Amino acid sequence: MAQIDEKFYLVRSDVLPESMRKTLEVKELLERGKVSSIHEAVKQVDLSRSAFYKYRDTVFPFQAMVKERMITLFFYLEDRTGTLSDLLHIVAKAGCNVLTIHQTIPLQGKANVTLSINTSFMNIEIDQLLQQLKKLDFVIRVEILSSGA
């Protein structure tokens, strides 16, 4: 489970470790359609697949985060009555507009939910929203899957 006190930082690219910079290159190649697979992209930038998977959900270009104002969140939840409603209430209270919701059929008492949200009118910081969501007793895991359109 991710730490509740998770924080985000703005860091100049020249001080990032090489593997993080290359992860950003891979993500850009994939986003622009310059390559057809992760395998092809990591090979092109000389990065191991394991390093890419380690950093892909933790490093984002600043311009994309600021420009687009859309974030996709992934949740792994316990299947209880009202969990989705409680989750959506917190997201709405933070000033986010829900664009899409995808929920899997619960298996063994657990379900995956993916929310795409517009954060243009968000009244708290994203790390504060994540902290609130992680505090819910039915949330097993929450991650930022992507940002941008």
Side-chain angles (χ1 to χ4, degrees), residues 28-68:
E28 185 174 349
L29 287 171
L30 291 164
E31 183 178 309
R32 292 177 180 241
K34 301 283 186 185
V35 293
S36 59
S37 68
I38 291 171
H39 175 73
E40 186 180 345
V42 295
K43 187 175 178 181
Q44 187 170 323
V45 302
D46 191 30
L47 178 70
S48 71
R49 285 173 56 98
S50 62
F52 172 73
Y53 285 112
K54 178 179 180 180
Y55 294 119
R56 75 173 178 173
D57 296 328
T58 62
V59 61
F60 305 96
F62 176 71
Q63 293 83 357
M65 294 290 285
V66 172
K67 181 176 70 173
E68 298 300 339

Side-chain angles (χ1 to χ4, degrees), residues 66-85:
V66 172
K67 181 176 70 173
E68 298 300 339
R69 308 303 294 169
M70 286 187 278
I71 294 176
T72 302
L73 300 174
F74 170 81
F75 298 88
Y76 187 55
L77 308 172
E78 292 181 14
D79 180 33
R80 298 185 198 168
T81 302
T83 55
L84 185 58
S85 175

Side-chain angles (χ1 to χ4, degrees), residues 5-16:
D5 61 349
E6 186 175 66
K7 294 184 181 186
F8 295 86
Y9 298 94
L10 182 61
V11 179
R12 235 180 36 234
S13 65
D14 62 325
V15 298
L16 286 175

